[in-house]
Amino acid sequence: MDTFDYLVIGAGSGGIASARRAAEHGARVAVVEQGRLGGTCVNVGCVPKKVMWNAGHVAETLADGVGYGFAVPQMSCDWGQLVNAREAYIRRLNGIYADNLANSGVTLIEGTARFLDGGRVAIADKQVAATRILVATGGRPEVPDLPGAELGITSDGFFALTERPERALVIGAGYIAVELAGVLHALGCDTTLAVRGERPLRSFDPLLGETLATAMRERGLTLRDRFTPARLREQANGMLFADDAAGHVLGPFDVIIWAVGRVPNVDGLALGRAGVSTDTAGYVETDEWQATTAENVFAVGDVTGRIALTPVAIAAGRRLSDRLFGGMTDRKLDYSTIPTVVFSHPPIGTVGLSEPQAREQFGDAAVKVYQTRFTDMYYALTEHKPKTAMKLVTVGSDERIVGCHAIGRGADELIQGFAVALKMGARKRDLDDTVAIHPTAAEEMVLMR
């Protein structure tokens, strides 16, 4: 039986990052993976999503070219060609991940892992022992338990589409839902987004969801609010419909996409044999050091249910290995003030607390908000003129910035720098004292009064 210092179950972003960092510190490391290297992000998440968003952005830019004097011919996207190029790119990334593991001296074991106890894992008929084990198996899209739910596809199914749908319904209000709906609409699909509440992105600052909803409707995407599906059904001609409990009907569609959340990949792991506890939703319970309830068994990434973002899994995994094998005894991830981007149309960048969160945490009297709404200069000559919106949330007499939110062209790129400022404890006066870069959209972030 092979014995390793560190056994990582799952070759997604967090697992691979932790494995390679441990190997850099001299540990003997193995990674177990049953699918393609790179996990959700590389294969059915961040990477293919950004490729599709880029394609939608190109389509929108071509349309805007008319305002700048370009004679743009009628153009349509060859969905099949786009998908083939995207998948070829992903296969190259799969190969790079394999090479990186090999170059780091990490052993790759192909198969499905299950715990035998806290120090042993079985992969098919093979047993492997390890001093420390990391669970980094990620998550998968959730499909609700209701009649006809199987007629819908998930984000995984979206990336398997080889032809562009003519009419599509996306059900969900989170970032995956708005991203998929935005891509489909930008690439010429007649798209409807159905949300349960008043607007999408309810967990984000209200400014973002409200502005996005307006932008979607102005672009011609159908946004149906207060719709909770009760069943899906299919007609004899193959067209799909969604009904709610009140008798409202959406349809017909040739594709319905579930984007209602994700669940952890823990089935078949036999976590109980190792003494690893999960919460009521199935996520692996961890403390601030990524430790589970089983000695020398750890977990990072989406399987823990803590901020399901690729950079978070990578950062947590690397810090864990630094602590376990690099002698950095205090090394751990600070889960506060983590920036994120929603690749909607237009994109969103956000870091820190929303205004409601800040008011709940610090009280209304302590919170002061600055915000602005304007038309990006890019749209000065275009027919379509969406608004960019920004908000700063501050607390205390010195107006420490605890939240920074932006939606509009370039918001996905500008938020990284402001995240550094928040992490360093920037005050509103620090932004006021910063000379603006003109003419840009980003300058508005330091000019708000």
Side-chain angles (χ1 to χ4, degrees):
M1 180 169 58
D2 289 336
T3 301
F4 296 90
D5 300 316
Y6 197 39
L7 180 67
V8 177
I9 304 174
S13 300
I16 287 179
S18 189
R20 294 186 65 204
R21 181 60 59 87
E24 288 177 14
H25 290 306
R28 186 166 184 255
V29 183
V31 172
V32 182
E33 176 55 55
Q34 60 180 336
R36 293 188 291 176
L37 297 182
T40 296
C41 178
V42 169
N43 298 292
V44 288
C46 326
V47 171
K49 178 265 300 290
K50 185 63 182 290
V51 170
M52 301 302 283
W53 183 88
N54 286 340
H57 180 62
V58 168
E60 292 172 340
T61 303
L62 288 170
D64 290 336
V66 175
Y68 280 89
F70 288 89
V72 181
Q74 287 294 110
M75 301 184 70
S76 62
C77 175
D78 186 327
W79 185 284
Q81 179 182 337
L82 171 61
V83 169
N84 288 338
R86 185 194 74 204
E87 292 306 301
Y89 176 62
I90 291 173
R91 286 193 294 272
R92 289 196 297 273
L93 293 181
N94 296 148
I96 290 171
Y97 272 81
D99 291 343
N100 286 342
L101 286 174
N103 293 337
S104 296
V106 176
T107 299
L108 176 61
I109 303 173
E110 297 182 358
T112 302
R114 71 182 189 281
F115 278 96
L116 299 176
D117 54 39
R120 292 183 305 137
V121 168
I123 305 99
D125 57 356
K126 177 185 178 68
Q127 291 190 20
V128 176
T131 306
R132 296 183 175 97
I133 298 175
L134 175 66
V135 178
T137 49
R140 65 183 185 276
E142 181 178 8
V143 175
D145 183 15
L146 54 81
E150 71 281 357
L151 296 172
I153 63 174
T154 64
S155 56
D156 289 359
F158 168 81
F159 292 117
L161 292 173
T162 56
E163 296 181 356
R164 188 202 70 187
E166 292 301 318
R167 299 192 64 185
L169 170 65
V170 180
I171 301 174
Y175 76 93
I176 295 175
V178 301
E179 288 176 343
L180 297 185
V183 164
L184 286 164
H185 178 70
L187 294 179
C189 175
D190 183 358
T191 307
T192 297
L193 175 65
V195 302
R196 287 185 302 173
E198 297 179 358
R199 62 176 185 271
L201 302 180
R202 294 186 301 273
S203 63
F204 289 71
D205 190 275
L207 176 76
L208 303 177
E210 292 165 1
T211 305
L212 178 60
T214 299
M216 284 180 159
R217 290 187 169 111
E218 289 178 347
R219 281 283 191 183
L221 187 151
T222 300
L223 178 57
R224 177 63 183 267
D225 55 14
R226 298 180 178 86
F227 185 88
T228 301
R231 67 166 181 162
L232 304 187
R233 53 189 173 86
E234 183 178 15
Q235 287 188 338
N237 62 0
M239 299 307 291
L240 303 174
F241 294 81
D243 306 337
D244 71 2
H248 300 116
V249 178
L250 297 181
F253 304 101
D254 48 357
V255 168
I256 295 179
I257 302 173
W258 293 114
V260 293
R262 296 178 66 82
V263 294
N265 281 329
V266 294
D267 297 347
L269 277 175
L271 293 172
R273 293 183 181 179
V276 176
S277 295
T278 58
D279 64 16
T280 55
Y283 290 103
V284 176
E285 294 181 337
T286 58
D287 64 12
E288 61 182 333
W289 304 98
Q290 308 298 152
T292 72
T293 52
E295 186 176 2
N296 291 323
V297 178
F298 306 86
V300 300
D302 295 6
V303 76
T304 69
R306 301 174 69 182
I307 309 184
L309 297 171
T310 293
V312 172
I314 291 172
R318 286 175 176 165
R319 285 162 174 74
L320 174 63
S321 290
D322 286 340
R323 181 169 61 84
L324 296 181
F325 303 103
M328 305 178 195
T329 55
D330 295 327
R331 192 80 162 133
K332 64 179 179 179
L333 178 62
D334 177 8
Y335 280 86
S336 65
T337 321
I338 291 177
T340 187
V341 165
V342 179
F343 285 102
S344 49
H345 293 259
I348 290 169
T350 179
V351 59
L353 301 177
S354 67
E355 181 180 345
Q357 288 171 335
R359 293 189 184 282
E360 180 180 358
Q361 183 172 335
F362 297 101
D364 288 340
V367 176
K368 186 173 182 180
V369 172
Y370 298 83
Q371 63 184 48
T372 184
R373 191 180 297 270
F374 60 94
T375 300
D376 191 299
M377 187 176 171
Y378 169 85
Y379 299 106
L381 305 183
T382 65
E383 179 180 355
H384 182 61
K385 299 182 185 296
K387 294 293 186 182
T388 291
M390 298 177 177
K391 177 186 284 189
L392 292 173
V393 181
T394 71
V395 298
S397 59
D398 61 349
E399 295 186 331
R400 179 170 59 90
I401 302 170
V402 296
C404 180
H405 314 284
I407 175 171
R409 182 179 172 85
D412 51 326
E413 294 291 347
L414 72 83
I415 202 65
Q416 186 74 77
F418 288 100
V420 176
L422 260 70
K423 198 71 174 176
M424 296 178 69
R427 270 62 176 171
K428 177 64 169 62
R429 67 174 178 269
D430 296 319
L431 269 62
D432 294 339
D433 289 340
T434 301
V435 176
I437 302 171
H438 183 74
T440 66
E443 68 178 306
E444 300 295 334
M445 197 67 81
V446 301
L447 294 176
M448 280 187 265
R449 298 182 61 83

